[in-house]
Each structure stands twice: as structure tokens, then as C-alpha cells.
Amino acid sequence: MSDFLQSYGFLIVTLIQAGLLGLSLYFPLMAGQLSLASPGFYALGGYVAAIMLTNPAFAGLRDTLGNGIFPLTWLAAGLLCALAGVIVGVPALRLRGIYLALATIAFVEILRVVSLNLSITGGAIGIFGIPQAFGFQDRWQYLLIFGPLLALVLAFTYMLQKSRVGRAFRAIREDELAADAMGVPPTQYKVLAFVIGAVIAGIVGSMSAPFLNTWNAKQGTFDASIAILAFVLIGGSRSMWGPVVGGALLTAVPELLRFLQDWRLVINGLVLVIASLYLPQGIVGALAKLRKSPPPARPPIAPAPDAKGGTL
Amino acid sequence: MELSSFVQNLMNGLAIGSVYAIFALGYTLVFSILGIINFAHGAVFTLGAYFTYTLVVGQFENNGLLKGINLFPDGSPFSGSAVMFGLATILGACAAGAVAVLIERLAFRPMRSRGADPLLALVSSLGVALVIVNLIQLLVGAEIYNFPSDAYGEVRPALSFKIGEKIVIIRTVQLIIFAVSLVMLAVLGYVIGRTKVGKALRAVAESPSTASLLGISVDRFILITFFLSGFLGGLAGTLVGTAFGVAGPYFGVVYGLKGLAVIVLGGLGSIPGAVAGGLVIGLAEAFVPAEYSAYKDAVAFALLFVILLVRPQGLLGRNLIQKV
């Protein structure tokens, strides 16, 4: 068992991390909002933890609290990301669809460039020598904090979906105007969904900084945004299990493809294309369909959706 | 600011801005027809530069599977004269256009015919971008390849003139980029505004189903759109590669992202908007003071964020109407 954890512990933690980031994007999507901001909040949370754990300004706090500093970094990262989520979310959520997605990409990019240039974030080099959480000796021990976080977030998601708030999210996703007319204030709920996602991503970041030992501007990039979107869409965007399954699988695929050596990343790209073509409902959606009897065939949808912005 | 440095910044801004513009036009054309953003466009940009380099130099001597293969052992016919270099550029752009057509056939069309979530197009086009970028890396390595300085024959590398006491230097490449972009914009404007093909394209953009009822083959015009988009992307890639070197498989990524800022700034799906957006962002970057130059890459996104909040439809976009 310990051999297994020795060899695969790191990978398993990475899979859980991916699942959690997928869930952080799933929340805004639950309310029908396509936000790609998760890597930004993930990076922000990581920086909060990295700074609190290495910066001389916090030396006194670290000495007094001992290992208690780690839960405090999670709390600080969560709170700061909630604040940032409100600041970014309130104006950005007036936008919809692709516009919101692009605004959140802008947020991630601005954050990246700023963190590349500030001295407190270590500039281009980043922050080094972040101490291991709770003096963990081995990477697999991070399962002890990431595992419970995943369980907690899943339980929270499950309960939220059954609650009034979850129903409000769904109502907004199906039809924002109708939801508004029925007395569900869309803006508040959209910001709430966005902030929940931000907090989850931030906490994951704050746990990941000690896990990775170092933190730099490469942690929150545009590529990560799309990778996380792929977790959710390929896993299945209509069920809370989708992001978890998608995150774990898509993170495992490059590892499983290691035997392909140099061709690995090429094939990884192909996997994304093929999965989008053949699993349009996501893996969880496809499994759910298998269990139910197939619905009557729908006529093919016209080549282009009506909701687009342009004239030539 | 002194007049000379103002003129210098202005020229730099116009040159890079016009590249942004023609690159972003590729995004906008596809968006206006299909309502999706093709994230593989940045990779097509990169490919364009590599195709042209292949024609002009014929070999990649540093790394990758193609190392040691020389297409033109006796020297490339496309090197050494400005006309032939221009021809290579056009051929490279055409090859990039062909790749874009291939992308539409293999990644986008099957998804449309299945009625998949349009969001999935983002993932699938990113998958295509990953494939292209990593194939380039596999074939020719991640090294920077610079066009040899004699590739375009006897052309002066720079023009300089005096304003007052100060000397302003304009690289010939910048002038060429600016001129080529203007020509491209004029041609595109003519094709879309005045020709039958353009009319059909506009009809498809307005409503694909109505266009097909009127006897326009929608799928064919979607292919034409992708070809134009890839051509413009590949051309922009070659222009940037000529000015700054073909900087590895990832060098299109930055342009891919900035292109997004450009089209949103100008108005998604609007051709004049893409041009205006490109020039605004190019100029804004050029006028960032030297002491803040590290933040230059954030300028485009800051503008994007502000415009989305103030005027979400972009500078020249159509009003967004919320339908019930």
C-alpha cells in the first residue's frame, strides 16, 4: 500500500486538484455563466499562501501559530478570493456568454502580468522554498487535506443543488428573464455562484502552493482556463460528478500516454478534439443516457445558433 | 513627449496594430459566420510563419524530426529577391488557409452536424491548437528561426529621417507590414462589400437558413470563410516572423490572446471593428512609457475589460439586443 502511495500519491493528488478546479468552474456554469476565471483565483490563492509561508513579514505569525498557519492560509486565500470574486464578478456578470468568458480571460491575463512584475510575488522567478504543509514528509500525505476538501465540496454541491439557491441557479441558467420575472434576482445569484467558484479555486491554490513547493506566474494562464473548461465539458456539465470525472481523466491521460514520449502532447490534443466530437454531453452525460432509454431523435440543429453578434 | 519620439511610437504602433488587425480579422470572419471563437487561429498564425520559412530557407537545422532534410539543396528559389519572398509569403498564407479549411472539416463541421453545445467548439479548437503546436515542436524543435538578412534581396533595412535634432528610424519591415496590411484590408473590404462572393458571405452571416433557402451553399461559404481566416492569420504570422523571428511553436499564443482583445474591443463580428481595435491596441501598447513596459502585455486586456463594462458591444459593434 505504501509503495502504491509512494509511486502514485503525487498523481492522485493532482487528479483531485483537477477535479476541484473543475468544480470551481462548475458553480458559475450551474447558473448559466461561462467563467474562465478559476486559474486566476487559483493563482491568487496560491500566492496568498506562498507569501504567508515565506515572507519575512509573517515570520512572527508563523512562529506563534506553528502548524496552525496552514489552515489560516486557506482561510485567508478563501476570503481574499471571495473579495476579488465580488470585485470582478459584479461588473463582469452584466455580460453573458462569450463576453463573460472573454472578460474573465482578461482578468486571468492581467493578474498574470501583474504577478510577473511585483516584487512581493517574486517576479518572473516566483516564490521558492514554500514549506511543506504540517511538515509532511511525502507528497502523498497531501491526500489527507485534498481528499477531505473534495468530499466537503462535493457534499456542499450536493446540498446546494437541493436547496433554494441551487434551484435559483438552475432557473437562471434555463431562462434569466423568466427567473427575474418570478422573483429570483439574477445578479445576486450569479455573483454568488461566481464567488463560490472563486473561493474553491483560491483554497485549492493555497493548498497547492506547499504541495508544489514553488509558485509562479505560470500557475494561472489562459491554457489552464481552457484545460479546466475541458474538464467540465468533457466530464459533463450537467452533473456535479462531471467536473470531477473529467478533471481526473484528462489529467490522467497525459500520464497514461507517457509511453508515446514525444507524441504524447499531440495525442493529448487529439483526445480533446475526439472527446468533444463524440461525447457532446460529456462522459457523465453519456453514461446517464446509456442507463435511460434513448429519447426520440431530435431533428439536427441548424448550422449556426441565432445568438451571435455579427454582421460582416 | 517630444515630437520625434511621438512619431517613432506612432509608427511602431501602426505597424504592430495593423498586424493585430489582419490577424483579428481571421477571428472575426469565423465568428460572424458561426458565432464561435476559433482558438486554433493562433496556431494557424504560427504555421503561416513556419510555412513561409520552409519555402524561403528550405531546412530547419537545429532540432526536430525534420533536422537534416533540405528542401532546396541548391539554395531556395524563394530567397534573395523581394518578389520571390513575397510569393513565398503568399504561398505560406495559402497553406495556412488550407489548414484552416481542414480544421473546419475535421473539428467544427462534425460538431455542428451533431448539434453539440457551441461551447464545445472552444475545447475542440483548443485541442486542434495543441496538436498543431506540438507537431511543430516535434518536427522542427522549439528553437527560434530568423529569416536570413539577404532573403529579400537588396532592400535597405531601415529608413531614417530627422525631426528637428532627433533622428527617427523606421525599419523597412515595419513599413512593409503596414503597407501589406492596408492592401489586405482594401482587398478584403472590396471582396466582402462589392463582389458576389462577399454578398453571399454576408447573407450566410446574417442567417444561414435563409441563405441556404436562397440557393447559397452554406457549407461551401463556411469553407471559404475558414480559408480567408487562415490566409489572414498565416500572413500575419509571416509578417511578424519577418520582423521579430519565427520564435518557436508557441509564438502565436500571445497573438491569439491579443487577437481576442482586439475583436472584443472593436465589436465581435465587425470587420471595421477588428481594424479599429487592432490599431487602438497597437498604438496603446506603443505609447506605454518605457518604465512601465513590463506591463505592456496587460494593456490589451485592461482595454478589453474596460470596454466590456462600458460598451459591451465594442467600439463599432452592433447593439446587443436581449431576446425573450
Side-chain angles (χ1 to χ4, degrees), chain B residues 131-218:
Chain B
V131 171
I132 294 177
V133 163
N134 287 296
L135 265 181
I136 294 177
Q137 175 144 6
L138 202 59
L139 293 176
V140 303
E143 282 79 5
I144 297 176
Y145 291 93
N146 284 308
F147 284 99
S149 53
D150 59 349
Y152 8 89
E154 307 271 314
V155 179
R156 282 176 62 182
L159 302 172
S160 59
F161 54 91
K162 271 190 174 172
I163 294 182
E165 292 297 299
K166 294 274 164 50
I167 297 173
V168 176
I169 297 171
I170 295 166
R171 294 175 65 197
T172 315
V173 166
Q174 288 182 316
L175 283 179
I176 294 174
I177 286 178
F178 190 52
V180 169
S181 307
L182 285 185
V183 171
M184 277 317 299
L185 293 176
V187 170
L188 196 71
Y190 174 79
V191 167
I192 289 184
R194 306 261 171 225
T195 64
K196 225 173 166 183
V197 172
K199 217 175 202 176
L201 277 177
R202 278 181 289 153
V204 175
E206 197 61 46
S207 163
S209 42
T210 315
S212 78
L213 284 176
L214 293 171
I216 296 169
S217 161
V218 172

Side-chain angles (χ1 to χ4, degrees), chain A residues 34 91 94-96 99 102-103 106 117 177 222 226 262-263 265-266 270 273 276-278 280 303 308 311-312, chain B residues 32 39 107 112 114 119-120 124 126 131 134 138 202 205 257 264 268-269 294-295 304-305 308-309 312 318 322:
Chain A
L34 175 62
R94 286 164 47 211
L95 307 165
R96 51 186 64 224
Y99 289 90
L102 293 172
N117 288 295
L177 288 178
F222 166 71
I226 304 294
D262 291 345
W263 286 90
L265 292 170
V266 178
L270 275 181
V273 177
S276 343
L277 291 183
Y278 291 99
K308 56 191 180 73
T311 47
L312 278 172
Chain B
S32 60
F39 278 139
R112 280 200 307 280
R114 279 163 217 267
L119 284 184
L120 269 173
S124 136
L126 189 88
V131 171
N134 287 296
L138 202 59
R202 278 181 289 153
L257 272 173
V264 175
L268 274 178
Y295 289 95
L304 164 72
F305 207 77
L308 278 176
L309 301 183
R318 205 162 47 165
Q322 192 172 345

